[in-house]
Structure formats: structure tokens, C-alpha cells
Amino acid sequence: MELTEAFLTLHWGLPRLHHLLALLCLVAVVYKLATLLAKRRDVFRSYEDFPGPPTHWLFGHVLEFKQDGTDFDTLMAWTKQYPYAFPLWFGPFFCVLNIHHPDYVKTILASTEPKDDVSYRFILSWIGEGLLVSSGQKWFRHRRFLTPGFHYDVLKPYVKLMSDSTKTMLDKWGSYANSNESFELFQHVSLMTLDSILKCAFSYNSNCQTESGTNVYIKAVYELSDLINLRLRTFPYHSDLIFYLSPHGYRYRKAIKVAQSHTEEVIKKRKEALKEEKELDRIQAKKNLDFLNILLLARDEKQQGLSDEDIRAEVDTFMFEGHDTTASGISFILYSLACHPEHQKICRDEIMQVLDGKDTMDWEDLSKIPYTTMCIKESLRIYPPVPGMSRKITKPITFCDGRTLPEGSYIGTSVFGIHRNGIVWENPDVFDHWRFLPENVSKRSPHAFVPFSAGPRNCIGQNFAMNEMKVVIALTLKKYHLIEDPNWKPKIIPRLVLRSLNGIHIKIKPVDPQV
């Protein structure tokens, strides 16, 4: 009898336990849903002073961006409708105020507000907390450590190394010079800029331009850029767990392994070289330390240097930013000059006069090509290598027209939008290098042209990048005529750097040295 009662108790208790568990799950789901709805309501309230384009309740504005080369057309149509700022929704809960007017941009870029903790969080596992994503005292400390690496005394000898890398690329182009067929620029320029940054910043000869096959590091960078963009646009992928378990997460981890093993090899070889030096003082006394030496030897007031993790993060950051952004800039500059032969001819005449028969650029030559420099800047305006950046504000912010955003809001600076804002630039889609005459520059806000950002968090390597662009453009125009191929118009797309969906194609022919 007792056994029967025990059985009945157990038999009737299990359903009650199941009901209790089901009830608890339902409560948890309702609570989570209520929390998310409250979050959505709060986000809506944060941006209620800023009207914007209609949004889908679930996908936000993601479906408006087709990834087919028309995304910037959509963005610029909204920019005309909302000339200062408008909200952009990525899914139902994440919103960024997209700003594209100099007066708004000045407010955020003049601050030390940190990069956002959503899109830049997706890069952390790749490049770590280097200058690009770090904040607070860590950012200040690293910035102070790295600033000497970009002093003109350090940059000066790089010009010859940049010239050597450029000449290797141009020699490879010989096969295209008489074929009258177009070829894709970006892959060649990427190899050249990788070769250049490795030689200049890391004293590392990779032979990446002459080795056969596709460079695995550059291929990994392309893959990582695409996957980070996909993750930002796909709301479920904002979850680390969901992304980790997905096929895209597997591809991401595989590409990271390739990219980081490349930088680890560079650091390992340099550390071995330093150990071979009999006296550390001899290294520190060298007049021209490269970027990696400065990283390894940096010490603060307490004689504390950077950790191995910090060194790898900065090397990963500058390995990526030091080659990919300049590759984008140089490729679009060459394309712009191919599309404007009248400007190309004047640049070439200027360069020929400065070089006066030399086959390489010297440091002193960089300041003697003002017309070419204006054309470079105009291309950077139309095709900014970094099309946007984002911050998360740690305190309320008020813009010039009185509209405000509360603490915790996200602000995206659309560099592409600023550079093509019709309120700021007359005929913004027209290539007009005269915009950069000193007298015209002085009439504009300094925040109307920000290819290297601005303010305290501006690009620490902008002089390095500008020098490399001048060297590459000068030596290229000295050797080749650049010719547009009307059958290949770039379909530009936003990634970590500006890219073209179908590549960047031009034709070339040799310059007659007698003409």
C-alpha cells in the first residue's frame, strides 16, 4: 500500500514539475521580451529629435543596403533629405546617428569619446586593443609611446623604401603596358603597400610582390573585412555564441589564424634579432628606429614597457591599417587620374620637372608637387579610404543646432557623406582639384575634409600615408599613361576600407621619355 502511494505521488508530481518548468520558461521569455521592448523604446526616445528615413520594425534599414554597389547612392539620397544627421537602424534594437555635416562632425571628433562597443567589438578578436579601438588611459599611454615612430626623422628614410616597393610593382605592370587590355589595380597595390609597410615599419623583407600565388595575409584581410561587415548587418550575429557556431564564424576564426600568424612571425624575427645585439644601448642610440623597435623598446616613467599582447595588438593594427587603407586610397587616386587625363598630364609634367631624370623620389621632392598633391586630396575627398567611423558617447552631447543625444548613444561619422555633402561642396560629385588651393581651403571648416579623421583621435600614420601616396603616384605617372576603361566602372561598397565590388580597372601605356 505504501509503495502504491509513493508511486502515485511520483506519477502526479512529475507533470506538476513539468508545468512549473514550462511556467518558469514562459516567465523568462516574457521578461526578456519586455526588456527588449523597453530597450527599443528607450533607443527610440534617444533619437526622437532626429527624423530619418522609414524603417522596418525588425530589420531596420539593413534591407535598404543591397551590397551591389548602390549602397552609397542610397546613403547620399538620405543625406540630401537630412543634411545634418539621421538615425540608421541595424535590426530592431541597435541604432546609430549618422552625421555628415562639418558642424556636427566637429562636436564629436573634437572629443576623446571612445569607439563604439558594437562594430569595433567585432574587430577585437582580430587586432586586439590597439590604437584603433582602445580607450581611456590605455589609449593615451599607447599613443604617447607610438608618436615618436612617426616623427619626420623616422619617416624620412622610408621614402626610398617606398620607391623601391613601387618600382617592383611598376616593373610587373610591363606586361600590361602594350596589351591594350585593362587590369585590376587593387590586388597589385595591396601587395605593394604590404611590401612597403613591412620594409618601413618592421624592417622585414617579405618578397610578397614577387612570390607566386595569392598572398595569404591579404586574402585573410579581405575575408575578415567582409565577415565583419556581414556580422554588423546581420542582427543575430551580434551574439558571440550564434556567430561562433555559424559557418561564417568558422571562416572568421580561420582567417584570424592566418592574419595573426603572419604578424607573430614578424615580431618573432625582430625579437630574435634584438637578442643578437650585444648591447641594447647600440639599438637605442640608432638615429632611425623603425616602428617595431619603438614598440619593443618603449618605456614609461616607471620603466614599464608594453606587454606581449599589447605589442601584437599594435602590430596587427598597423599591419592592417598601414597597408589596406593606403591601398584603397592609391588605387582610387590612380583610377581618378585615368578618368581625368587633363589633370594627369599636368601632374606628370610637374613630376618630371621635379625628378629631373631621377628614377626615385627623395624626401625633399615630396613638398615640390603641389598640383599632384591637390589631385590626391580631391580623390581622397571623392573616395575616402575609410568611409566611416563610430563612437559611443559617455556623456550627453549637444550639437550646434541645439539637438541633443543622451549618454550611451551611438554616433557614426560618415566621411563619405561629409565629403559629398552638397551643402558643403559645390558640385560634390565633380572632380575639381582647385578646391584644395590654400585660399579655398581657408574658407571651409577644417572638418569638411577628414580622410584621416580629426581631433585627438586622428590617424597617427597620416603623414606616412600621404608620403606613400605621393611617391607611388609620382613614380607611376613618370612611367605610365593611365587610361580609363569605360567598360569597368567601380561599384563602390562600404567595408572597413572603401572597396569596389568588381575591382578597379585601368589600362596603361608607357610614357615616351623623349616627349
Side-chain angles (χ1 to χ4, degrees):
M1 187 69 179
E2 291 178 358
L3 188 63
T4 304
E5 289 178 356
F7 173 78
L8 288 173
T9 301
L10 179 63
H11 179 73
W12 289 105
L14 283 174
R16 290 178 182 174
L17 182 60
H18 290 157
H19 291 157
L20 179 60
L21 289 174
L23 180 61
L24 289 174
C25 289
L26 179 62
V27 169
V29 169
V30 171
Y31 175 77
K32 183 64 175 178
L33 182 61
T35 302
L36 290 173
L37 290 174
K39 177 182 177 181
R40 179 174 169 84
R41 182 194 63 223
D42 291 342
V43 173
F44 260 112
R45 286 177 178 173
S46 297
Y47 297 94
E48 63 184 355
D49 288 341
F50 300 91
T55 178
H56 188 278
W57 71 272
L58 179 60
F59 298 107
H61 295 108
V62 169
L63 298 181
E64 301 294 329
F65 298 104
K66 312 295 184 184
Q67 301 290 294
D68 60 356
T70 63
D71 291 0
F72 283 113
D73 296 332
T74 301
L75 188 72
M76 293 315 299
W78 291 341
T79 297
K80 290 178 182 177
Q81 189 174 356
Y82 311 99
Y84 282 83
F86 58 83
L88 270 179
W89 286 83
F90 296 88
F93 309 112
F94 180 56
C95 183
V96 177
L97 182 68
N98 186 81
I99 63 174
H100 42 266
H101 191 281
D103 293 343
Y104 264 47
V105 172
K106 178 181 179 180
T107 303
I108 187 65
L109 294 190
S111 73
T112 57
E113 294 289 15
K115 300 295 178 69
D116 79 59
D117 55 3
V118 177
S119 56
Y120 288 96
R121 176 172 64 86
F122 301 154
I123 312 175
L124 274 176
S125 54
W126 170 19
I127 62 173
E129 288 193 70
L131 275 187
L132 180 64
V133 296
S134 60
S135 59
Q137 287 304 310
K138 183 170 187 175
W139 177 82
F140 279 110
R141 182 173 185 257
H142 285 212
R143 180 85 178 202
R144 190 174 77 251
F145 277 164
L146 300 183
T147 296
F150 299 91
H151 189 273
Y152 76 90
D153 281 338
V154 176
L155 297 178
K156 192 173 180 179
Y158 291 171
V159 174
K160 183 183 183 306
L161 299 174
M162 293 170 178
S163 295
D164 291 342
S165 295
T166 303
K167 284 187 279 188
T168 300
M169 178 184 74
L170 298 178
D171 288 343
K172 289 170 60 182
W173 287 6
S175 59
Y176 303 112
N178 297 302
S179 66
N180 199 36
E181 293 182 3
S182 62
F183 68 100
E184 204 284 314
L185 274 176
F186 206 112
Q187 57 181 327
H188 290 274
V189 178
S190 289
L191 279 172
M192 183 274 299
T193 55
L194 178 60
D195 186 26
S196 186
I197 192 69
L198 287 171
K199 287 177 180 175
C200 295
F202 306 108
S203 301
Y204 185 93
N205 291 310
S206 67
N207 300 315
C208 63
Q209 292 198 80
T210 53
E211 64 185 13
S212 60
T214 304
N215 182 274
V216 292
Y217 175 75
I218 288 179
K219 185 179 179 182
V221 169
Y222 271 62
E223 180 92 351
L224 290 167
S225 298
D226 287 343
L227 290 170
I228 289 167
N229 178 71
L230 174 69
R231 189 176 181 189
L232 177 63
R233 297 176 65 250
T234 308
F235 176 69
Y237 279 177
H238 288 201
S239 163
D240 290 339
L241 179 61
I242 293 175
F243 184 69
Y244 183 89
L245 295 174
S246 72
H248 294 111
Y250 172 76
R251 285 170 50 197
Y252 181 78
R253 294 191 298 277
K254 189 175 177 182
I256 277 183
K257 188 175 180 181
V258 172
Q260 292 185 343
S261 65
H262 182 269
T263 56
E264 285 169 1
E265 177 68 14
V266 172
I267 296 170
K268 178 184 175 184
K269 287 194 173 183
R270 175 54 55 84
K271 283 186 172 181
E272 289 173 355
L274 289 179
K275 286 178 182 178
E276 292 173 5
E277 289 280 357
K278 293 182 179 178
E279 297 177 16
L280 190 60
D281 291 342
R282 282 173 50 198
I283 306 167
Q284 293 172 316
K286 285 181 181 177
K287 197 169 185 179
N288 298 312
L289 294 174
D290 67 17
F291 174 75
L292 187 49
N293 272 338
I294 288 170
L295 275 178
L296 293 170
L297 301 174
R299 296 290 183 272
D300 59 18
E301 299 82 2
K302 299 178 180 178
Q303 293 303 304
Q304 295 295 312
L306 295 172
S307 67
D308 288 346
E309 182 182 349
D310 288 337
I311 290 170
R312 198 193 76 179
E314 297 300 355
V315 171
D316 275 319
T317 298
F318 280 88
M319 193 80 73
F320 159 62
E321 291 213 82
H323 98 271
D324 212 30
T325 53
T326 48
S328 176
I330 290 167
S331 298
F332 281 109
I333 293 165
L334 294 173
Y335 172 77
S336 296
L337 291 172
C339 294
H340 299 90
E342 69 283 7
H343 296 310
Q344 183 186 153
K345 182 182 184 306
I346 298 173
C347 289
R348 181 178 293 106
D349 291 343
E350 177 184 67
I351 289 160
M352 292 294 200
Q353 183 177 358
V354 170
L355 293 182
D356 192 24
K358 296 185 300 183
D359 66 348
T360 190
M361 287 283 282
D362 293 325
W363 173 262
E364 294 75 17
D365 298 330
L366 299 176
S367 60
K368 298 177 182 177
I369 49 173
Y371 193 96
T372 305
T373 301
M374 287 191 292
C375 288
I376 289 172
K377 289 182 177 179
E378 177 64 352
S379 180
L380 293 177
R381 181 189 69 82
I382 296 176
Y383 302 107
V386 179
M389 44 207 166
S390 183
R391 306 271 185 95
K392 180 181 180 180
I393 57 176
T394 58
K395 53 185 176 293
I397 192 169
T398 301
F399 294 105
C400 55
D401 56 5
R403 290 188 286 182
T404 63
L405 277 179
E407 173 188 341
S409 300
Y410 295 91
I411 301 175
T413 300
S414 173
V415 179
F416 192 95
I418 301 162
H419 287 186
R420 297 207 191 193
N421 192 330
I423 293 178
V424 182
W425 305 91
E426 186 178 354
N427 299 320
D429 297 326
V430 174
F431 189 95
D432 179 7
H433 69 291
W434 296 122
R435 304 178 198 270
F436 291 95
L437 280 172
E439 55 266 33
N440 292 332
V441 171
S442 65
K443 297 173 186 176
R444 286 192 304 269
S445 164
H447 293 87
F449 179 66
V450 287
F452 302 105
S453 190
R457 290 195 71 124
N458 68 345
C459 175
I460 194 173
Q462 59 182 290
N463 289 330
F464 177 96
M466 279 300 295
N467 291 348
E468 185 169 22
M469 291 176 191
K470 290 179 183 181
V471 168
V472 176
I473 302 308
L475 296 183
T476 302
L477 294 186
K478 179 181 183 294
K479 189 164 187 174
Y480 296 118
H481 291 282
L482 312 179
I483 304 164
E484 178 188 11
D485 185 346
N487 296 318
W488 286 95
K489 296 286 186 183
K491 297 179 179 180
I492 54 176
I493 52 175
R495 291 292 184 266
L496 296 178
V497 303
L498 193 71
R499 296 192 187 279
S500 170
L501 197 63
N502 57 339
I504 304 172
H505 293 74
I506 63 169
K507 299 178 182 180
I508 59 174
K509 68 177 184 179
V511 170
D512 186 347
Q514 304 301 320
V515 177

